[in-house]
Structure formats: structure tokens, C-alpha cells
Amino acid sequence: MRSILFLLLGAIGVSCSPLAQPVPQRKEITERFFADADTIKNVTPALQKDRGFTNYEELTGFLSNLESKKPDWIDVSYIGESQKGYKVPMITISNKSAQGEKIKVWMQAGLHGNEPASTEGLLYLLHELVNNPEYTYLLDKLDIRAVPMANIDGYLKQSRYAKNGLDLNRDQTKLMAPESVFLKQEFSNYDAQVALDFHEYNPFRRDFAKMSSFGIIGLYDIMFLTSGNLNVPQNLRTLTDSLFVGNTMKVLDQNGLTHHQYISTTDYKGAIHFNQGSNNSRSSATSYALTNAVSSLIEVRGVKLNKTSFKRRITTTFLVGLSYLETAYNNDELVRKTIQQAQKGQESISVTSSKTVYEGTIEAIDVDTREIIKMEVTLRDAIKMNPELTRKRPEAYLINKNQKKIVEKLKVLGVELEQLSEEKNYSVESFQVTNYDRANAKYEKMNLQDVRTKLEKKSITFPRGTYIIYTDQKNAPIITEVLEPEAPNSFVSFGVLETDLNRELPIYRLPKTIP
């Protein structure tokens, strides 16, 4: 298999050795399909040098320089330390003289350290917002917080992972890495209404070597990852996909950039299928959406390309970020009303769900002919999820007071908790584990648990100090994602809360009383 892969990489102009990462694609492919942008200005650190990307000193210097330009508008703070001891900067931009309620926008980049144009594109956007009079009007209605290099340890060595080997975009609910904790805490404190997470994707996936005659190469300049999670209210999903993504696609078309909903290959019973979209709250796109925010993860074509088409990738990131800001500015009242409606909640919750599977068409570059081809593929679509296990939304959950680990994680996720001031009797539903399987191999350093439960009605006197979590709060959708044990990203499924067969979980549902 290794020799086949090396032959494929050679065919597309990628030289490699067992000890080296592939280097940029053949010049012919770049010039034909991914010509660099000629409108971008060399104003960010990596754009001002031929080799390498923005280092830590350049990052902090760049942000400090922005702050000095408009000290009344801009504040640079440090929200935590990476595992190697680097302080992680966050920039807040707000025109304090502008009157009226503003839309809060959260942006981050560099969560995967080997996706450098995400950081550079966000830095470019920040520069333009501060220095270009054409865009400063946006701050009349928007407040912005941005973390340009979320995974500093990974970024400085161009590695996807944090120092402890965790993928920070698989850690959005279990919160096992220190970076995940302070990033999520800052996001929760900010209470964002619009959230963007900038990434890059790999156009040379291993499975691509098996497709067409001699393999294919990823074509799309950008792919949009939005959430199909059924616990994200439908009106919010529609606003995200139809308005924000729709407007941005028009901008990309005007600039000759190709786009698609996010797709990635997966092995399904020995066949290559394509996953489209996402419903997993372990990733930021869904995790943010479950706080009732407009949320998108932006995947620009860039992993393994080093600085090939670097200005094109930065331009793409900039145009997407700018389009989301303009859409929020022009539709601020609609965004508020949609989120207010979403916060009323849904009567039933989807604990488990399945993707819609169908035949679809994607475009790619054929390695042999170096032409764009259309391919019929099987899509497993997470934008079109089907409910499987559903339950009525409870009035509240009760958690034993000794479950401090999951209580602290809930607080970081922005969940409001109360504690009983005295013992109190409730008629509740308890989770009884009826099926149990524990994975031997670790996933993201956790032993996953697959459980099935049955609900038993009980009358229990809960002691003083028991935690009670009401579901009529802003971040209610994320509560059910982590507390319903069968949910694929719950504290039980991830092994954060360990259990076993025939156990009763220390989490209880308080059913709604019917008037």
C-alpha cells in the first residue's frame, strides 16, 4: 500500500520519503486550478517572508500593533497557557461609541496546528477591520472576539495535535485538554450569537488513491461544515445554511472560488463512502450550535500544501469571515429573533440519530488526465439526520453532589446549575444500564462506553447540595448532549462518567408536569 501511495503522489507532483511529509503539488496543477490571489496585501507576518509561518513572537507583536492603532476599540488579553507554557492571546474589537445592542461574533483559528492559513487568514481579516475604512462600519453593530492561534503548541511545530496528543476538535464536550477548557470557558463567558472556526483540509486523502483510474485530488477551495444535529432548533439551522452560508457562496462565486458542503471519506463495510456535514458535538461546529448560536466550521483547501497557493487560501478565509460579518450586520434583528425563538426549546430531544444515505455527485481533479471530473458517490449526509432514540425533554436533570468532575465540565460548557438548599423529594426517572460495552482501545485517550438504558420512575429524596439543571436556559441543547447516556458524545459515552452493566447512573430526569 505504501508503494502505491508513493506512486500516486509522484503522479501528482508530490515528492515524499518515509521520513518526510509530502511537499506541495505539481506547479501545473497549481497554476491551472489554484492560481494565487494578486489582491492580497503583505500585511501579516507570514506574508512578509518567503519561508515559514507566523511564529509566537510575530503573533503577539502583530496583535499589540493592532491594539496600539485603536486602543479605545481594541483589547488584547491572554486567556490561558498552552501545555508548553505559551500564553494564548485573544483580541476583542468593539466600537464603544456605537449605540445600541450588538451581535457578538466569536472567531478562532489554528485549533489544528498544521492548518496555517486559518491563522493567517484571520489575522488578515483583523488587520482589515482595524485599518481599512471600508470595513469599520461593521463595528457599529458587531462586537468581535478572536483567538487566531488556538493550539499554539501544535502550530509552532506544524502538528495537528496539542502537546498531549489530543485533537482539540474532538475535545469539545469531554474537555480533557487544558486548551479546550479555557477556550470553551471564554466562549461560554462571551455568549456568542455567531461563531466561526477556521480550518484547512487535506486534498490528498489516502482513500483518494483508490478512486478513478489512478486516483483523484480534492478540488474545492472551501467546504462548509454546519451542524445537522437535531437538537439544534430547525430555524437556527435554516438561518445558518440558507442565509449565512448562502450569502458566502455567492461571494465565493463572484471571486471564482469553488465550494461545497464539507465531505470526507469513510470506510463502510469495505466500500468508500463520503460523509457530508456533521452532527457530532465533539466538534466545534455542532458544539457552538448547541448553545443556540449561528455556527460554522470553515475548511479551506490547504493541509500539506506548505505555502503553495498561500495567498489564495488567505483570501478565501478572509472573504468567508467578511461575508459572515456583513450578513450579521445586515440581518442583526433577524439573528436576534431567530435565536430567541430557538431558545424556547423543543418538546422532544434526539438522543441518537442516523444519517440519510443516497447517491450524489462530487467534483474532483483526476490524477491521470488532470481534468475536473464528476463522480457518482455514496453520501452519508449528516445535514439530513433521522431521529432514532428520542425522549421528552425533562424539566430538569438532577446530579449527585459528588459528581464534581462532570459538574465542572457543565459549567465550562456555559450551563447554569443550582444546588438544593435543603433535602427535597422528587418523582424522577432514573437511568438503569441494561446493555454495556467498553472499548479496549483508547480514542482520544478515553475508553469509550456504549450503553443502553431504561428509564425507571422513582420517588427519591435528594439531599441538600444536589445539583439541579433546568432545561429552560440558553444552552439547554448542549445539556442533553452530554447527560443523556446513549448520546454519542455524552459524558457516559466518552468514559468521563464510568459505569457498568446494571448500574444506576447518578443523573436523574425530572419530567415536566402537565398543567
Side-chain angles (χ1 to χ4, degrees), residues 477-496:
I478 197 73
I479 299 171
T480 60
E481 282 284 312
V482 295
L483 294 187
E484 293 286 335
E486 294 90 347
N489 298 287
S490 71
F491 292 146
V492 171
S493 292
F494 260 126
V496 174

Side-chain angles (χ1 to χ4, degrees), residues 207-486:
D207 287 336
F208 287 1
K210 307 171 189 175
M211 309 187 83
S212 193
S213 301
F214 292 96
I216 62 170
I217 312 169
L219 169 68
Y220 303 112
D221 284 293
I222 175 179
M223 296 192 286
F224 294 88
L225 184 60
T226 58
S227 182
N229 189 293
L230 296 176
N231 293 317
V232 178
Q234 180 63 60
N235 68 331
L236 189 55
R237 283 182 273 144
T238 299
L239 182 77
T240 303
D241 292 330
S242 298
L243 184 62
F244 280 84
V245 174
N247 283 354
T248 306
M249 285 181 172
K250 293 175 185 176
V251 171
L252 295 169
D253 289 339
Q254 292 164 3
N255 286 272
L257 297 165
T258 55
H259 51 80
H260 198 276
Q261 291 285 352
Y262 180 73
I263 51 174
S264 62
T265 53
T266 184
D267 183 287
Y268 186 78
K269 297 182 178 180
I272 299 174
H273 288 190
F274 280 77
N275 284 326
Q276 178 165 276
S278 175
N279 71 311
N280 272 321
S281 56
R282 70 188 68 175
S283 169
S284 65
T286 294
S287 178
Y288 292 163
L290 288 167
T291 67
N292 285 318
V294 172
S295 171
S296 299
L297 189 152
I298 306 303
E299 293 273 12
V300 172
R301 186 183 190 275
V303 172
K304 294 187 178 179
L305 287 176
N306 198 356
K307 294 192 89 167
T308 297
S309 306
F310 196 50
K311 286 188 174 182
R312 184 186 185 97
R313 290 146 59 191
I314 292 171
T315 299
T316 305
T317 304
F318 166 69
L319 290 174
V320 172
L322 183 62
S323 175
Y324 268 67
L325 294 177
E326 290 174 339
T327 300
Y329 177 93
N330 292 324
N331 300 274
D332 58 324
E333 283 304 314
L334 177 60
V335 170
R336 288 191 191 90
K337 288 178 181 178
T338 302
I339 290 175
Q340 288 168 1
Q341 183 65 33
Q343 289 174 4
K344 293 180 180 179
Q346 305 173 128
E347 285 306 307
S348 68
I349 56 177
S350 174
V351 181
T352 62
S353 55
S354 61
K355 300 172 183 176
T356 298
V357 182
Y358 57 92
E359 298 304 307
T361 302
I362 67 166
E363 291 185 313
I365 300 170
D366 186 272
V367 168
D368 185 29
T369 64
R370 300 191 181 102
E371 299 288 343
I372 295 175
I373 58 172
K374 290 187 176 181
M375 300 176 56
E376 295 295 322
V377 299
T378 301
L379 289 169
R380 310 184 69 81
D381 197 346
I383 302 170
K384 302 174 181 177
M385 297 299 294
N386 304 297
E388 292 183 333
L389 174 60
T390 62
R391 292 185 175 127
K392 290 290 185 182
R393 185 175 67 148
E395 180 180 343
Y397 292 89
L398 292 112
I399 300 178
N400 289 356
K401 63 181 179 180
N402 62 351
Q403 296 299 318
K404 297 190 182 301
K405 180 162 61 174
I406 65 174
V407 165
E408 288 307 310
K409 292 181 187 296
L410 285 165
K411 291 178 180 177
V412 172
L413 290 168
V415 174
E416 298 173 2
L417 303 92
E418 299 177 17
Q419 285 184 277
L420 298 182
S421 58
E422 57 185 19
E423 71 173 32
K424 190 170 182 179
N425 184 271
Y426 288 103
S427 294
V428 297
E429 296 170 329
S430 66
F431 293 106
Q432 306 290 330
V433 179
T434 57
N435 294 84
Y436 177 83
D437 182 63
R438 182 177 186 271
N440 292 322
K442 288 185 180 291
Y443 170 79
E444 289 290 302
K445 301 191 181 296
M446 305 297 290
N447 291 103
L448 301 185
Q449 300 177 125
D450 183 18
V451 303
R452 297 293 179 270
T453 67
K454 67 177 181 180
L455 298 180
E456 289 190 358
K457 294 183 178 179
K458 287 187 172 184
S459 179
I460 299 177
T461 299
F462 290 91
R464 179 178 180 271
T466 299
Y467 290 93
I468 185 165
I469 306 166
Y470 291 100
T471 59
D472 60 346
Q473 57 178 283
K474 175 185 176 294
N475 289 8
I478 197 73
I479 299 171
T480 60
E481 282 284 312
V482 295
L483 294 187
E484 293 286 335
E486 294 90 347

Side-chain angles (χ1 to χ4, degrees), residues 111-129:
L111 195 65
H112 288 150
N114 63 335
E115 299 169 8
S118 66
T119 289
E120 214 65 25
L122 182 51
L123 291 179
Y124 192 89
L125 175 60
L126 295 172
H127 176 275
E128 291 298 286
L129 287 171

Side-chain angles (χ1 to χ4, degrees), residues 15-113:
S15 62
C16 58
S17 72
L19 299 178
Q21 292 292 326
V23 294
Q25 66 202 2
R26 175 171 287 184
K27 187 177 181 181
E28 175 191 346
I29 295 289
T30 301
E31 290 180 347
R32 184 172 181 184
F33 298 108
F34 307 106
D36 234 333
D38 57 6
T39 57
I40 209 87
K41 297 170 284 189
N42 294 331
V43 294
T44 63
L47 287 171
Q48 294 173 348
K49 53 188 180 182
D50 294 331
R51 291 188 175 186
F53 304 106
T54 297
N55 61 38
Y56 183 72
E57 291 74 19
E58 291 167 340
L59 170 71
T60 55
F62 180 86
L63 296 178
S64 295
N65 183 56
L66 287 183
E67 186 178 29
S68 68
K69 295 284 182 66
K70 283 191 170 71
D72 294 338
W73 285 23
I74 299 173
D75 177 66
V76 176
S77 58
Y78 292 85
I79 59 176
E81 285 192 4
S82 75
Q83 295 168 56
K84 287 190 173 181
Y86 292 98
K87 293 181 179 179
V88 178
M90 178 182 72
I91 184 169
T92 301
I93 306 179
S94 175
N95 179 2
K96 299 177 180 63
S97 64
Q99 301 298 310
E101 186 181 3
K102 297 183 184 179
I103 296 293
K104 295 179 180 178
V105 181
W106 172 273
M107 295 181 172
Q108 72 177 26
L111 195 65
H112 288 150

